[in-house]
């Protein structure tokens, strides 16, 4: 049980370390671009950086002396023993070096040509995708503009509907006003008719009572007085005309 506990605790610590490793700032750094061509080498396989590293301490011949000394040490201590396989490897290495030297540039040019064709095709695909995406963006912007215009159209239609509703309301209010006015005019005309009929009835009743209350003697006196007044008025009018 103790061994199991130690094993699980070590695993937990390892997971914690891995989690810190994956979440560290270095893990989020951008990956550097791969170089299109390899670095410089000497004799086909030895990097130039090794010579530049040893030059300040050993001088120009230092790397060569290091290689020769290391080879002498390996052979003298019989770490590596020369046998028939060594000669076979030397022959194979010579053939490989000759083939690389002879046919390497042509093969490299052919590979570069294939690579350029692949890159060109990839670039064409990329350009086509970029063009289609740019067109899609333009179409999306146009659709957004149309959507905004559609909103303005809906707003105009909403305003038109509101105006129609307001016009209908005002027409109904006007119709109600006219109907109420007609009812009021009818009531006024009816009241006026009642008053006129009452007045006519009252005048006829008073005239009838007055006529019935006058005696023949009063009628003769009033006629005589009227005749006298007419004569006086005639004389006055005659005097005014002669003057």
């Amino acid at each position: 049980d103790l061994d199991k506990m130690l094993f699980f605790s070590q695993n937990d610590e390892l997971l914690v370390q891995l989690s810190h490793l994956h979440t560290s700032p270095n893990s989020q750094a951008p990956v550097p671009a791969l170089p299109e061509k390899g670095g410089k080498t000497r004799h086909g396989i030895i990097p130039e950086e090794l010579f530049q590293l040893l030059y300040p301490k050993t001088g120009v011949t230092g790397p060569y002396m290091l290689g020769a000394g290391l080879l002498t040490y390996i052979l003298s201590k019989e770490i590596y023993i020369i046998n028939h396989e060594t000669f076979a490897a030397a022959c194979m290495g010579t053939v490989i070096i000759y083939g690389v030297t002879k046919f390497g540039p042509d093969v490299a040019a052919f590979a570069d040509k294939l690579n350029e064709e692949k890159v060109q095709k990839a670039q064409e695909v990329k350009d086509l995708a970029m063009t289609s995406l740019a067109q899609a963006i333009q179409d999306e912007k146009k659709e957004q503009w149309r959507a905004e215009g559609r909103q303005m159209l809906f707003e105009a239609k909403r305003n038109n509907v509101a105006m129609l509703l307001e016009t209908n309301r005002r027409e109904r209010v006007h119709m109600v006003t006219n109907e109420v006015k007609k009812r009021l005019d009818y009531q006024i005309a009816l009241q006026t008719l009642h008053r006129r009929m009452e007045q006519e009835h009252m005048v006829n009743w008073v005239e009838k009572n007055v006529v019935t209350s006058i005696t023949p003697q009063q009628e003769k006196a009033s006629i005589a007085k009227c005749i006298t007044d007419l004569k006086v008025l005639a004389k006055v009018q005659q005097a005014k005309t002669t003057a």
Side-chain angles (χ1 to χ4, degrees):
D1 295 335
L2 183 59
D3 294 336
K4 291 182 178 179
M5 293 176 63
L6 291 173
F7 177 74
F8 286 121
S9 63
Q10 291 176 357
N11 288 337
D12 293 337
E13 292 179 358
L14 181 60
L15 290 175
V16 171
Q17 292 177 0
L18 290 175
S19 64
H20 286 299
L21 179 63
H22 287 290
T23 57
S24 62
N26 293 330
S27 64
Q28 298 177 359
V31 179
L34 293 175
E36 295 183 0
K37 296 181 180 180
K40 293 183 179 180
T41 59
R42 293 191 183 185
H43 308 291
I45 58 173
I46 302 175
E48 179 68 23
E49 287 80 3
L50 179 60
F51 291 88
Q52 298 297 330
L53 179 63
L54 296 176
Y55 278 167
K57 295 181 180 181
T58 62
V60 178
T61 60
Y64 299 101
M65 294 303 297
L66 176 62
L70 183 60
L71 180 61
T72 303
Y73 175 77
I74 292 172
L75 294 175
S76 64
K77 294 296 181 179
E78 294 184 355
I79 297 173
Y80 181 80
I81 300 173
I82 298 175
N83 52 19
H84 62 281
E85 293 180 356
T86 304
F87 297 103
C91 293
M92 293 177 63
T94 304
V95 172
I96 291 172
I97 292 172
Y98 175 77
V100 171
T101 306
K102 182 68 175 177
F103 305 105
D106 297 335
V107 174
F110 179 72
D112 291 339
K113 184 178 180 181
L114 292 178
N115 190 22
E116 289 178 358
E117 291 179 355
K118 291 181 180 180
V119 171
Q120 186 177 2
K121 290 181 180 179
Q123 187 66 30
E124 290 178 356
V125 173
K126 179 181 177 181
D127 294 339
L128 182 61
M130 292 292 291
T131 304
S132 62
L133 291 175
Q135 186 64 33
I137 292 173
Q138 295 295 329
D139 295 339
E140 180 64 23
K141 290 182 179 180
K142 186 179 292 184
E143 291 299 327
Q144 291 179 1
W145 175 75
R146 289 178 179 176
E148 293 177 358
R150 190 179 299 112
Q151 185 177 1
M152 296 175 62
L153 179 61
F154 289 161
E155 187 68 23
K157 289 184 177 180
R158 193 179 296 110
N159 292 333
N160 291 334
V161 171
M163 291 176 63
L164 291 175
L165 292 175
E166 181 66 20
T167 304
N168 192 7
R169 186 186 68 82
R170 292 189 178 186
E171 288 179 355
R172 291 183 179 182
V173 170
H174 183 67
M175 182 179 65
V176 171
T177 303
N178 290 334
E179 292 296 328
V180 172
K181 185 176 181 297
K182 289 179 181 179
R183 298 289 179 86
L184 293 176
D185 292 340
Y186 172 75
Q187 294 294 331
I188 292 172
L190 184 62
Q191 292 178 3
T192 303
L193 178 62
H194 286 169
R195 286 197 299 270
R196 185 169 60 79
M197 292 181 68
E198 290 175 355
Q199 289 176 359
E200 290 180 356
H201 177 70
M202 183 63 69
V203 170
N204 292 330
W205 180 76
V206 170
E207 184 180 0
K208 182 178 180 181
N209 290 332
V210 169
V211 171
T212 54
S213 63
I214 296 174
T215 59
Q217 187 66 30
Q218 290 177 348
E219 185 177 359
K220 289 180 181 180
S222 62
I223 291 172
K225 188 175 184 309
C226 289
I227 292 171
T228 304
D229 292 336
L230 290 173
K231 289 180 180 181
V232 172
L233 289 173
K235 290 180 179 179
V236 171
Q237 185 68 25
Q238 187 176 3
K240 288 181 178 180
T241 53
T242 54

